[in-house]
């Protein structure tokens, strides 16, 4: 079986635009969760979000694409370019159908869709943009990235909410096994508009706290929901031998194992099974895992279920656990791929990023949760976990280069 390595990373996150800026913020414990500014949220019970700062559309997207793209597509185009530039690879140098793109999405272009619906009902159908036919669609980010960079190989989109970022990378690995030379994979999300906000609120899991410092508290006894954010990460995946053959400047690490499960019965969650299957594919046992990047729902029952899975796998407080998404909010399809990026950089720098907000885990969450400040450690292997609304579970094992 071929080994999948990561040679490039592109990030757009609420606490930093670009991989370097985001990672510096994470290690400083800087949060991007603030009161919503993208629309007037004063009439809603939840009024906090993680918004990507300093993103000027015209700096990242050609003017001809602006009328036909939603914000999430523009963020995705920026992240894809950064990832490919970071990998120092030009897809034009690869076989014509040798490179593809797999993204994850939960909402598609919600803000674009809201604007066109408003035009339909207030002005009439003749005022609805023809671009609405695809700008809202889940697959639009894959399509626009493919067109812009000539990625004409096997491509696609995964829809599994918070688990999507890991599922997209898993699909990218499958394409590499079938002969692809390179795949851009991961996810980004943005639905910070009234229409999107109504959907988030309907899920019933958002916190109504108004203090950004204490709103999203995974594994804390005070936890009462999560904060929504926008952004995520895209990764350049290559087969190890192919990356070496082209003289790849850096390899961040290896995606050594992945698995997905589904909770057919909500009373019998299968997150632990996903972790066990990912470890089995990687050929290692739990004792070899040095850090876990948790899903960290921020809701008491879900936190207890994840803590129970981890304690069952590693023993109570048996492995360091962290949730850097406390600085961004939950990013739906973008969250797990951003955690993958965090795992790769943690392995590179030999440091575990902190969980902010939560001071200590609740008694019924027996975890060695890294809080307050980064923790230096000898890191060779990380486990990344994600759960998507509706019963999706995903796990990935990442090994240091």
């Amino acid at each position: 079986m071929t080994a999948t390595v990561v040679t490039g990373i592109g990030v757009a996150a609420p606490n930093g635009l670009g991989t370097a800026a985001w990672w510096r913020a994470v290690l400083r414990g800087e949060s991007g969760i603030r009161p919503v500014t993208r629309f007037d949220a004063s009439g809603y019970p939840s009024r906090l979000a993680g918004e990507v700062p300093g993103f000027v559309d015209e700096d990242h997207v050609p003017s001809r694409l602006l009328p036909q793209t939603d914000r999430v597509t523009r963020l995705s185009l920026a992240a894809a370019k950064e990832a490919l530039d970071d990998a120092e690879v030009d897809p034009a140098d690869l076989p014509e159908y040798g490179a593809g793109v797999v993204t994850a999405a939960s909402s598609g272009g919600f803000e674009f869709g809201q604007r066109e619906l408003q035009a339909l009902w207030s002005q009439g159908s003749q005022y609805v943009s023809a671009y609405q036919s695809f700008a809202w669609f889940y697959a639009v980010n894959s399509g626009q990235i493919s067109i812009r960079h000539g990625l004409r190989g096997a491509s696609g989109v995964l829809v599994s909410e918070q688990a999507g970022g890991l599922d997209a990378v898993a699909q990218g690995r499958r394409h590499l096994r079938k002969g692809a030379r390179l795949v851009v994979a991961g996810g980004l999300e943005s639905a910070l508009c009234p229409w999107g906000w109504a959907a988030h609120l309907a899920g019933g899991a958002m916190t109504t706290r108004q203090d950004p410092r204490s709103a999203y508290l995974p594994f804390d006894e005070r936890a009462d929901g999560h904060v929504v954010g926008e952004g995520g990460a895209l990764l350049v995946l290559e087969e190890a031998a192919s990356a070496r053959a082209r003289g790849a400047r850096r390899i961040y690490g290896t995606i050594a194992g992945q698995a997905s499960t589904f909770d057919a019965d909500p009373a019998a969650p299968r997150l632990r099974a996903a972790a066990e299957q990912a470890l089995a594919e990687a050929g290692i046992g739990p004792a070899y895992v040095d850090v876990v990047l948790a899903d960290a729902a921020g809701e008491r029952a879900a936190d207890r279920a994840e803590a129970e899975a981890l304690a069952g796998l590693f023993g109570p407080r048996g492995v360091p656990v962290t949730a850097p998404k406390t600085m961004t909010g939950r990013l739906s399809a973008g969250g797990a791929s951003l955690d993958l990026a965090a795992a790769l950089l943690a392995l590179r720098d030999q440091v575990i990023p902190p969980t902010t907000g939560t001071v200590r885990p609740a008694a019924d969450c027996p975890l060695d949760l890294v809080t307050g400040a980064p923790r230096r450690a000898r890191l060779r292997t990380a486990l990344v976990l994600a759960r998507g609304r509706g019963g999706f579970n995903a796990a990935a094992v990442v090994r240091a280069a």
Side-chain angles (χ1 to χ4, degrees):
M1 185 179 294
T2 60
T4 299
V5 298
V6 177
T7 56
I9 300 175
V11 167
N15 56 342
L17 178 59
T19 303
W22 161 73
W23 187 238
R24 286 194 300 268
V26 167
L27 295 182
R28 290 194 297 261
E30 292 181 2
S31 175
I33 296 174
R34 299 178 179 86
V36 173
T37 65
R38 298 279 302 287
F39 64 96
D40 181 6
S42 60
Y44 296 89
S46 297
R47 299 194 287 273
L48 298 177
E51 299 176 341
V52 174
F55 186 83
V56 179
D57 297 352
E58 292 79 4
D59 292 344
H60 300 278
V61 179
S63 58
R64 63 180 176 80
L65 287 182
L66 291 175
Q68 57 180 285
T69 51
D70 180 82
R71 178 175 174 88
V72 69
T73 302
R74 298 168 187 177
L75 292 171
S76 298
L77 287 167
K81 183 179 187 304
E82 183 189 13
L84 288 166
D85 288 348
D86 186 39
E88 294 187 343
V89 61
D90 184 351
D93 296 333
L94 301 175
E96 184 176 7
Y97 298 100
V101 53
V102 180
T103 63
S106 301
S107 57
F110 247 55
E111 191 171 4
F112 194 104
Q114 175 181 308
R115 185 171 62 248
E116 298 309 315
L117 284 174
Q118 286 176 311
L120 172 65
W121 294 113
S122 64
Q123 297 174 277
S125 60
Q126 66 270 32
Y127 291 93
V128 176
S129 169
Y131 297 126
Q132 167 66 4
S133 61
F134 61 80
W136 72 273
F137 192 48
Y138 302 105
V140 67
N141 300 331
S142 290
Q144 292 286 12
I145 293 168
S146 171
I147 293 168
R148 188 173 186 186
H149 295 286
L151 307 177
R152 301 183 65 191
S155 301
V157 62
L158 278 297
V159 184
S160 51
E161 215 258 338
Q162 189 80 20
L166 293 188
D167 289 338
V169 171
Q171 182 70 354
R173 293 176 73 218
R174 295 184 191 103
H175 289 321
L176 292 177
R177 291 169 184 168
K178 294 175 182 178
R181 293 278 295 277
L182 178 150
V183 179
V184 176
L188 287 93
E189 201 81 76
S190 181
L192 303 185
C193 60
W195 190 23
W197 211 243
H200 289 309
L201 289 169
M206 291 177 68
T207 181
T208 57
R209 289 200 179 109
Q210 304 307 318
D211 184 351
R213 297 169 297 180
S214 61
Y216 177 28
L217 303 171
F219 305 112
D220 193 300
E221 62 183 13
R222 300 169 293 162
D224 72 343
H226 67 265
V227 173
V228 168
E230 66 175 352
L234 293 174
L235 312 177
V236 173
L237 309 178
E238 299 183 69
E239 194 272 328
S242 178
R244 288 193 295 267
R246 73 168 180 84
R249 182 166 61 94
R250 69 164 65 86
I251 291 176
Y252 286 99
T254 301
I255 310 296
Q258 285 190 271
S260 298
T261 59
F262 185 74
D263 298 340
D265 179 359
R270 303 192 65 235
L271 179 64
R272 177 176 172 178
E276 290 171 335
Q277 291 171 28
L279 290 170
E281 188 196 354
I284 61 173
Y288 289 88
V289 174
D290 301 307
V291 63
V292 174
L293 281 83
D295 175 70
E299 188 274 323
R300 292 291 286 124
D303 287 346
R304 281 194 298 269
E306 184 171 20
E308 180 180 345
L310 291 173
L313 195 58
F314 300 102
R317 301 175 182 84
V319 65
V321 175
T322 189
K325 60 171 63 71
T326 50
M327 291 172 255
T328 64
R330 289 178 70 80
L331 308 184
S332 297
S337 54
L338 190 64
D339 276 349
L340 266 181
L344 290 162
L345 297 180
L347 296 176
R348 182 195 68 181
D349 295 345
Q350 296 291 283
V351 61
I352 302 173
T355 304
T356 60
T358 302
V359 176
R360 65 180 62 87
D364 56 6
C365 295
L367 302 176
D368 177 15
L369 193 65
V370 178
T371 63
R375 181 189 297 181
R376 289 285 171 185
R378 185 177 184 276
L379 305 175
R380 294 294 299 167
T381 303
L383 174 67
V384 181
L385 300 177
R387 292 174 293 185
R389 185 181 307 165
F392 299 99
N393 304 298
V397 175
V398 185
R399 311 266 340 234

